Amino acid sequence: MVSGIYFCDIKGRPILSRRYRDDIPLSAIDRFAPLLADLEEESSVIPPCLNHRGIQYLFIEHEDLYVVALSTSLATNAAQVFTFLHKLVEALGDYLKTVEEESVRDNFVIIYELLDEMMDYGIPQITETKMLKQYITQKSFKLIKAVKKVKATARPPTGLTNSVSWRADGITYKKNEAFLDIVESINMVMNQQGQVLRSEIIGQVIVRSRLSGMPDLKLGINDKGIFTRDPETGESQVTAGKKKSSAELEDLKFHQCVRLSKFENEKIITFIPPDGEFELMSYRLTTPVKPLIWCDVNVQVHSKSRIEIHCRAKAQIKKKSVANNVEILIPVPDDADTPSFRYSHGSIKWVPEKNAILWKIRSFYGGKEYSMAAQMGLPSINGVEKPKFKRPVQVKFQIPYFTTSGIQVRYLKINEPKLQYKSYPWVRYITQNGDDYTIRLN
């Protein structure tokens, strides 16, 4: 249970606050700035939770702000508090566009309204922006004129008083559709010899709902559910058809609309979706993954201060699969100039502002292999000394109809008990590069 929420500047000084309980003194937040200063002197890493004289300071940093929650109870659910703080910043971003010290000072009326509606007596309440915008109708930097007639005053939507607070009543569509995307991003670090140093799969299940009424959806993944546990070891496993492969599952997160008890007991995901697009679930797997797009880069030094860069790229995916919009960014020394290229497929251009060569392949079919060579002048070469590359090769790609983990949707059932309409579920799979899909050259 939270006693108060505070917005502080980058030095920890309070800008705006909302107290929910009287169990902390008014001067408690004044200790936050000195505590931050002391920690910065002692260590470069500041923990997100501080304790001083029985008061817990839980905070997140955003732009030039600290958003701080104060509590006096050691039994406070820290994960819930941090989730609420991030949701609060997300909601403010939808209202203010940019959340920083100046925008907080200029829009204190909106912020106070949001703090009053999103939390009650220190307990989180409504955090969905779509629901909040139905009755907090003020715009940033502008105030709506007071309505004279009492009948016209804004009232909270009926959805807030229901158990399904993330969805409003009375939603209607001419054609009822639900689009489900399973997007897996691959982060991988490899060396020049092709050895995988680190790999992980970051998965998202994204739903775009265009359904009338109050539909109830049931999602079945890989028959018996997406994740099962080994009865002997208790470790998580990913089930792909009849084949089971042990994998370390981390950071499994669900949207609040998912019935967690149903998932825990039956491994089936059931939910009443919010209207529009939202992230139903996210997960991370640290299972070993082979390189989907592999690049072998070789640098040769020639006389007269010139280097030659050879790159051989191979799509190590099934022959029926195709990688779209492949981009291979190959770093070159900072003073390289006068490039000339030879290549078998795609297009190549020199990107001097990034000191790199960009090789684009629009469609890269599985099993195919392409090559390119680039010659560049390099005045700084001394003799035959090989230049050092501090930056890795970066690879981008997108593979439709394919998931690396083997996760598959077996069914997506839509039921609206009152309207009983015909619905159309659509499922799509995408595997793509993550933020860190690189090949080290040295």
Short mmCIF file of all heavy atoms in Angstrom, two decimals, residues 242-262:
data_model
loop_
_atom_site.label_atom_id
_atom_site.label_comp_id
_atom_site.label_asym_id
_atom_site.label_seq_id
_atom_site.Cartn_x
_atom_site.Cartn_y
_atom_site.Cartn_z
N LYS A 242 4.86 -32.63 -30.97
CA LYS A 242 5.22 -33.79 -30.16
C LYS A 242 6.63 -33.68 -29.62
O LYS A 242 7.04 -34.44 -28.76
CB LYS A 242 5.08 -35.07 -30.99
CG LYS A 242 3.66 -35.36 -31.43
CD LYS A 242 3.60 -36.65 -32.22
CE LYS A 242 2.17 -36.95 -32.65
NZ LYS A 242 2.09 -38.19 -33.45
N LYS A 243 7.38 -32.74 -30.17
CA LYS A 243 8.78 -32.61 -29.77
C LYS A 243 8.90 -31.64 -28.61
O LYS A 243 8.35 -30.56 -28.63
CB LYS A 243 9.60 -32.12 -30.97
CG LYS A 243 11.10 -32.03 -30.68
CD LYS A 243 11.83 -31.55 -31.92
CE LYS A 243 13.31 -31.42 -31.66
NZ LYS A 243 14.04 -30.93 -32.86
N LYS A 244 9.64 -32.03 -27.59
CA LYS A 244 9.83 -31.16 -26.44
C LYS A 244 11.31 -30.80 -26.33
O LYS A 244 12.17 -31.64 -26.42
CB LYS A 244 9.39 -31.85 -25.15
CG LYS A 244 7.87 -32.03 -25.04
CD LYS A 244 7.50 -32.57 -23.69
CE LYS A 244 5.99 -32.72 -23.54
NZ LYS A 244 5.61 -33.23 -22.23
N SER A 245 11.56 -29.52 -26.12
CA SER A 245 12.94 -29.07 -25.95
C SER A 245 13.00 -28.21 -24.71
O SER A 245 12.24 -27.29 -24.54
CB SER A 245 13.38 -28.26 -27.18
OG SER A 245 12.53 -27.17 -27.37
N SER A 246 13.93 -28.55 -23.84
CA SER A 246 14.06 -27.82 -22.59
C SER A 246 14.55 -26.41 -22.86
O SER A 246 15.47 -26.20 -23.65
CB SER A 246 15.04 -28.56 -21.66
OG SER A 246 15.18 -27.86 -20.46
N ALA A 247 13.96 -25.42 -22.25
CA ALA A 247 14.34 -24.04 -22.47
C ALA A 247 14.14 -23.27 -21.18
O ALA A 247 13.23 -23.57 -20.41
CB ALA A 247 13.51 -23.41 -23.59
N GLU A 248 15.00 -22.30 -20.96
CA GLU A 248 14.90 -21.48 -19.75
C GLU A 248 13.98 -20.30 -20.01
O GLU A 248 14.28 -19.42 -20.81
CB GLU A 248 16.29 -20.99 -19.35
CG GLU A 248 16.30 -20.24 -18.02
CD GLU A 248 17.68 -19.76 -17.65
OE1 GLU A 248 18.64 -20.17 -18.31
OE2 GLU A 248 17.79 -18.97 -16.70
N LEU A 249 12.83 -20.32 -19.38
CA LEU A 249 11.81 -19.29 -19.58
C LEU A 249 11.96 -18.21 -18.54
O LEU A 249 12.06 -18.47 -17.35
CB LEU A 249 10.42 -19.92 -19.49
CG LEU A 249 9.24 -18.95 -19.47
CD1 LEU A 249 9.16 -18.22 -20.80
CD2 LEU A 249 7.97 -19.69 -19.18
N GLU A 250 12.00 -16.96 -18.99
CA GLU A 250 12.12 -15.83 -18.08
C GLU A 250 11.14 -14.74 -18.51
O GLU A 250 10.74 -14.65 -19.67
CB GLU A 250 13.55 -15.27 -18.10
CG GLU A 250 14.61 -16.28 -17.68
CD GLU A 250 16.01 -15.72 -17.77
OE1 GLU A 250 16.13 -14.51 -18.05
OE2 GLU A 250 16.97 -16.48 -17.57
N ASP A 251 10.76 -13.93 -17.55
CA ASP A 251 10.00 -12.71 -17.82
C ASP A 251 8.68 -12.96 -18.55
O ASP A 251 8.35 -12.27 -19.52
CB ASP A 251 10.83 -11.70 -18.63
CG ASP A 251 12.09 -11.28 -17.91
OD1 ASP A 251 12.10 -11.37 -16.68
OD2 ASP A 251 13.06 -10.88 -18.57
N LEU A 252 7.94 -13.98 -18.13
CA LEU A 252 6.61 -14.22 -18.70
C LEU A 252 5.64 -13.20 -18.11
O LEU A 252 5.46 -13.14 -16.90
CB LEU A 252 6.15 -15.64 -18.41
CG LEU A 252 4.74 -16.02 -18.85
CD1 LEU A 252 4.60 -15.89 -20.36
CD2 LEU A 252 4.39 -17.43 -18.40
N LYS A 253 5.02 -12.40 -18.96
CA LYS A 253 4.11 -11.35 -18.50
C LYS A 253 2.81 -11.43 -19.29
O LYS A 253 2.82 -11.68 -20.50
CB LYS A 253 4.74 -9.97 -18.69
CG LYS A 253 6.02 -9.75 -17.89
CD LYS A 253 6.62 -8.39 -18.20
CE LYS A 253 7.94 -8.19 -17.47
NZ LYS A 253 8.59 -6.91 -17.83
N PHE A 254 1.70 -11.19 -18.58
CA PHE A 254 0.38 -11.19 -19.21
C PHE A 254 -0.27 -9.83 -19.03
O PHE A 254 -0.02 -9.12 -18.04
CB PHE A 254 -0.53 -12.26 -18.59
CG PHE A 254 -0.16 -13.67 -18.94
CD1 PHE A 254 0.48 -14.48 -18.01
CD2 PHE A 254 -0.44 -14.19 -20.19
CE1 PHE A 254 0.83 -15.78 -18.32
CE2 PHE A 254 -0.11 -15.48 -20.51
CZ PHE A 254 0.53 -16.29 -19.58
N HIS A 255 -1.15 -9.49 -19.96
CA HIS A 255 -2.01 -8.33 -19.79
C HIS A 255 -3.00 -8.62 -18.67
O HIS A 255 -3.33 -9.77 -18.39
CB HIS A 255 -2.76 -8.05 -21.10
CG HIS A 255 -3.49 -6.75 -21.11
ND1 HIS A 255 -4.77 -6.61 -20.62
CD2 HIS A 255 -3.12 -5.52 -21.55
CE1 HIS A 255 -5.16 -5.36 -20.77
NE2 HIS A 255 -4.18 -4.67 -21.34
N GLN A 256 -3.48 -7.58 -18.02
CA GLN A 256 -4.38 -7.77 -16.88
C GLN A 256 -5.69 -8.45 -17.24
O GLN A 256 -6.39 -8.98 -16.38
CB GLN A 256 -4.67 -6.43 -16.21
CG GLN A 256 -5.40 -5.44 -17.11
CD GLN A 256 -5.81 -4.18 -16.38
OE1 GLN A 256 -6.20 -4.22 -15.22
NE2 GLN A 256 -5.69 -3.03 -17.04
N CYS A 257 -6.03 -8.50 -18.54
CA CYS A 257 -7.28 -9.14 -18.95
C CYS A 257 -7.21 -10.67 -18.90
O CYS A 257 -8.24 -11.33 -18.94
CB CYS A 257 -7.68 -8.69 -20.35
SG CYS A 257 -6.56 -9.24 -21.66
N VAL A 258 -6.01 -11.25 -18.82
CA VAL A 258 -5.86 -12.71 -18.82
C VAL A 258 -6.25 -13.27 -17.45
O VAL A 258 -5.85 -12.73 -16.41
CB VAL A 258 -4.42 -13.11 -19.17
CG1 VAL A 258 -4.23 -14.62 -19.06
CG2 VAL A 258 -4.08 -12.64 -20.58
N ARG A 259 -7.02 -14.34 -17.46
CA ARG A 259 -7.38 -15.03 -16.22
C ARG A 259 -6.22 -15.93 -15.80
O ARG A 259 -6.04 -17.03 -16.34
CB ARG A 259 -8.66 -15.84 -16.42
CG ARG A 259 -9.86 -14.99 -16.83
CD ARG A 259 -11.10 -15.87 -16.99
NE ARG A 259 -12.25 -15.08 -17.42
CZ ARG A 259 -12.63 -14.96 -18.70
NH1 ARG A 259 -11.94 -15.58 -19.65
NH2 ARG A 259 -13.68 -14.23 -19.03
N LEU A 260 -5.44 -15.47 -14.84
CA LEU A 260 -4.22 -16.18 -14.46
C LEU A 260 -4.51 -17.53 -13.83
O LEU A 260 -3.76 -18.49 -14.04
CB LEU A 260 -3.39 -15.31 -13.50
CG LEU A 260 -2.85 -14.01 -14.09
CD1 LEU A 260 -2.06 -13.24 -13.03
CD2 LEU A 260 -1.97 -14.28 -15.30
N SER A 261 -5.59 -17.64 -13.05
CA SER A 261 -5.91 -18.92 -12.41
C SER A 261 -6.21 -19.99 -13.46
O SER A 261 -5.82 -21.15 -13.32
CB SER A 261 -7.10 -18.76 -11.47
OG SER A 261 -8.24 -18.28 -12.17
N LYS A 262 -6.88 -19.60 -14.53
CA LYS A 262 -7.19 -20.53 -15.60
C LYS A 262 -5.92 -21.00 -16.29
O LYS A 262 -5.76 -22.18 -16.63
CB LYS A 262 -8.11 -19.84 -16.61
CG LYS A 262 -8.70 -20.76 -17.68
CD LYS A 262 -9.91 -21.50 -17.17
CE LYS A 262 -10.62 -22.24 -18.28
NZ LYS A 262 -11.76 -23.03 -17.80
#
